[in-house]
Amino acid sequence: MVVPELRAWRAARPHVVRIKRTVQPHVTRVAQAVQPRVTKAAQSVRPHVVRAARAVRPRPVKVTTPRLTAVAATAGLALAAGAVAFAGPWDSSGQRTAERDWAASREGEGGADHGRSSDTSPTAPKPAPSAASVLTGLGGSTVSVPAPTQKALTSTLDRLLGDPALGGRRTAVVVDVATGKRLYGKGADDAQTPASTTKIATAVAALSAAGADHRIETRAVLEPGTKEVVLVGGGDPTLTARKEAAGWASLRTLADGTATALKARHLNQVTLSYDTSLYTGPALHPIGANPNLAPVSALMVDEARTDDSASGPVARAADPAADAAVKFAGLLEAKGIKTTTPGPSRATNRSQSLASVSSPPLSALIERMLTNSDNDIAEAMARQVALATGRAADFDGGAAAIDAELKKLGLPLSGAHFTDGSGLNRDDRLTADLLTALLVKAGDPAHPELRPILTGLPVAGFTGTLSDRYADDASGTGLVRAKTGTLTGVNTLAGTVVDADGRLLAFAFLASDTTDPSAAQSALDRTASALAGCGCR
């Protein structure tokens, strides 16, 4: 099975360019402020680079293209460490889309030649060599590279998976992505609590059912014959009220457009309402009020966070829709439109559109969801699957829709059970076989719309939920890309890795009844790193 990497991403290029143009000016400004921290970050990374180099030096025969790729990618990422958080999603070459622009803005320091900088003047610094794609293993030239053998993998992985830190139950599967052949299996069909690796299934279902280019709209409408303005939620948890929208849908832009439309109608005082009827059922997840997830609503701003954070656990507004409407009212008043205290309502089919904003394409939301293990986006994506397939947009409808969509794709669902989109519910059940099948499907040339699943996976030692892991295991840094999963007594890891010979492998490791989450995570990280260093023949 061969995936044409460049061709698969050709359709996405306009979106990448759009994101780059949005992010670039902010990155340049930030670069000037973070220069001291960049130096500090580079110094902190240097020991890991040195250890990795020492590990490679004794085995020159193993310094393959993927190894050189990892070193080049590591160097580029270290250079941009201070500004990478402000960049957009990862591009097909494994670098953030704005990294090259930030690097090029550093006078005399050079940049990356990913399409080469637009500055071709004689004084421009010579670009650094491009790092080859981290998805190189999908290319046709690697199909001739031998895959690891089952016997060699069994010898390596059985020992690592036998670590007592992985608790009383552990299952694992390793699959060759190019052929779909299973290379290793341990309890492959045994369903376990998957924790946040559930989001891989949610992502596949959402991209398949709604499409990678689908955007979520938030609207402001006017009820005819009245002065009632209704803020209509479309289910976009990434809608932001921040001054710098960074490419996400902006509540400020919506308020500006609404105020302009109202003034054109000679209205400067209105009744403000909000409509959340797109979603049904309970707003609270079965785990109850929790800093990891806001009450699920079709209308929310900045995931109902009560601080300036963009990811991770934090206290949430008890009523996300009311919170969003109050902020919208404040923005309207700043534009000269007085409003009443907002209350719930429902827009009629006779309402007149005033203004609207749309989220980035679903592909970008999926990447953010996977990189940060974002539970709010995950539950929104489950409801998008439900809406796209004609089901109720609630927890039960989303779970049923995910199951049905995966079944339509021919995925192995024996033993699988979905109760939500995020994996926070301990009643979820997935198998290692299904998780690897999802990853292989994302690399299938027949399904290029699923590619954001591979590019959205956190990168070991650098991004998202893997940014603070692999500190003591440099061999997997920059090579392992995986979705993490953590609940009390549950630790999981599922993703992809290019092995020492250049073969792209998909893996899933699930452990239950663990007692020390840190030790369990380290054991899983070591196991994934072993695949990165494995020729295993």
Side-chain angles (χ1 to χ4, degrees):
M1 179 171 65
V2 178
V3 176
E5 176 71 22
L6 294 176
R7 185 171 59 192
W9 276 94
R10 193 170 297 139
R13 183 169 300 171
H15 307 301
V16 174
V17 171
R18 180 187 58 77
I19 294 171
K20 187 201 77 171
R21 289 173 177 169
T22 301
V23 173
Q24 183 174 353
H26 310 308
V27 174
T28 301
R29 287 200 301 271
V30 169
Q32 296 171 353
V34 302
Q35 184 175 2
R37 282 175 283 176
V38 173
T39 302
K40 182 178 179 182
Q43 291 171 348
S44 66
V45 170
R46 187 176 295 115
H48 303 300
V49 176
V50 171
R51 285 202 300 271
R54 288 174 179 169
V56 172
R57 191 178 300 129
R59 298 186 298 162
V61 70
K62 290 297 183 182
V63 183
T64 60
T65 297
R67 288 293 182 190
L68 295 175
T69 294
V71 173
T74 299
L77 286 164
L79 176 65
V84 72
F86 296 87
W90 287 79
D91 65 17
S92 61
S93 69
Q95 289 189 293
R96 287 189 181 273
T97 54
E99 179 189 336
R100 59 182 176 185
D101 300 298
W102 182 87
S105 72
R106 307 297 295 162
E107 182 179 355
E109 293 184 9
D113 67 353
H114 293 242
R116 192 174 174 89
S117 169
S118 58
D119 183 2
T120 57
S121 66
T123 59
K126 183 179 179 180
S130 291
S133 169
V134 293
L135 300 180
T136 296
L138 287 171
S141 62
T142 64
V143 175
S144 60
V145 175
T149 66
Q150 183 174 355
K151 181 179 179 180
L153 275 180
T154 299
S155 175
T156 299
L157 297 182
D158 277 358
R159 174 179 54 83
L160 291 165
L161 292 169
D163 192 321
L166 294 177
R169 295 182 61 207
R170 69 288 303 269
T171 60
V173 167
V174 177
V175 174
D176 177 22
V177 175
T179 64
K181 179 182 178 181
R182 184 190 297 174
L183 305 175
Y184 176 84
K186 182 182 183 69
D189 301 320
D190 296 342
Q192 289 190 238
T193 302
S196 279
T197 52
T198 300
K199 293 181 176 71
I200 298 174
T202 303
V204 168
L207 291 168
S208 176
D213 292 329
H214 176 68
R215 296 170 186 263
I216 304 173
E217 185 180 46
T218 305
R219 301 179 294 134
V221 301
L222 178 67
E223 290 298 333
T226 74
K227 293 184 178 181
E228 183 186 13
V229 173
V230 185
L231 180 60
V232 184
D236 178 12
T238 65
L239 178 68
T240 181
R242 297 187 174 102
K243 288 184 179 180
E244 298 293 342
W248 307 102
S250 171
L251 189 70
R252 293 171 181 267
T253 299
L254 182 62
D256 290 350
T258 301
T260 298
L262 289 172
K263 290 176 181 179
R265 290 170 168 81
H266 306 291
L267 294 174
N268 57 15
Q269 188 167 353
V270 298
T271 298
L272 182 60
S273 305
Y274 56 90
D275 182 350
T276 62
S277 61
L278 186 67
Y279 288 177
T280 59
L284 276 181
H285 189 280
I287 62 173
N290 191 287
N292 289 292
L293 176 67
V296 183
S297 172
L299 177 64
M300 64 170 62
V301 171
D302 295 311
E303 299 182 338
R305 294 174 177 273
T306 54
D307 64 7
D308 292 331
S309 65
S311 63
V314 70
R316 311 301 182 96
D319 187 340
D323 172 68
V326 167
K327 291 176 178 175
F328 188 64
L331 293 169
L332 285 178
E333 295 207 14
K335 291 294 180 179
I337 305 295
K338 294 182 179 180
T339 74
T340 60
T341 300
S345 183
R346 186 164 185 166
T348 68
N349 56 13
R350 297 181 296 108
S351 62
Q352 301 168 356
S353 177
L354 294 172
S356 66
V357 291
S358 294
S359 72
L362 221 61
S363 56
L365 271 64
I366 290 295
E367 287 191 328
R368 174 171 164 176
M369 175 188 78
L370 293 173
T371 299
N372 296 331
S373 196
D374 193 304
N375 298 302
D376 299 282
I377 296 178
E379 294 304 340
M381 292 300 98
R383 282 152 184 75
Q384 291 297 315
V385 181
L387 292 168
T389 57
R391 291 175 172 79
D394 57 15
F395 284 104
D396 290 341
I402 291 171
D403 185 88
E405 194 65 24
L406 299 186
K407 185 177 296 182
K408 186 191 303 182
L409 290 170
L411 290 157
L413 292 169
S414 177
H417 177 63
F418 296 96
T419 63
D420 63 8
S422 62
L424 287 173
N425 196 320
R426 304 182 71 87
D427 291 335
D428 289 329
R429 293 290 184 273
L430 295 183
T431 65
D433 185 40
L434 174 57
L435 284 170
T436 51
L438 289 163
L439 293 165
V440 170
K441 184 68 71 173
D444 189 334
H447 292 280
E449 75 280 3
L450 302 181
R451 191 59 62 81
I453 292 160
L454 298 184
T455 57
L457 293 173
V459 179
F462 286 109
T463 62
T465 53
L466 286 183
S467 61
D468 58 353
R469 288 168 63 164
Y470 288 80
D472 298 323
D473 184 12
S475 62
T477 300
L479 291 174
V480 175
R481 301 182 70 135
K483 182 70 199 74
T484 58
T486 306
L487 292 172
T488 302
V490 175
N491 295 92
T492 60
L493 191 68
T496 65
V497 62
V498 179
D499 74 6
D501 291 324
R503 201 80 181 196
L504 185 69
L505 308 177
F507 65 87
F509 307 139
L510 295 87
S512 297
D513 304 326
T514 58
T515 57
D516 183 338
S518 179
Q521 288 175 0
S522 295
L524 293 176
D525 293 345
R526 284 193 297 272
T527 307
S529 292
L531 289 176
C534 186
C536 295
R537 293 192 302 279

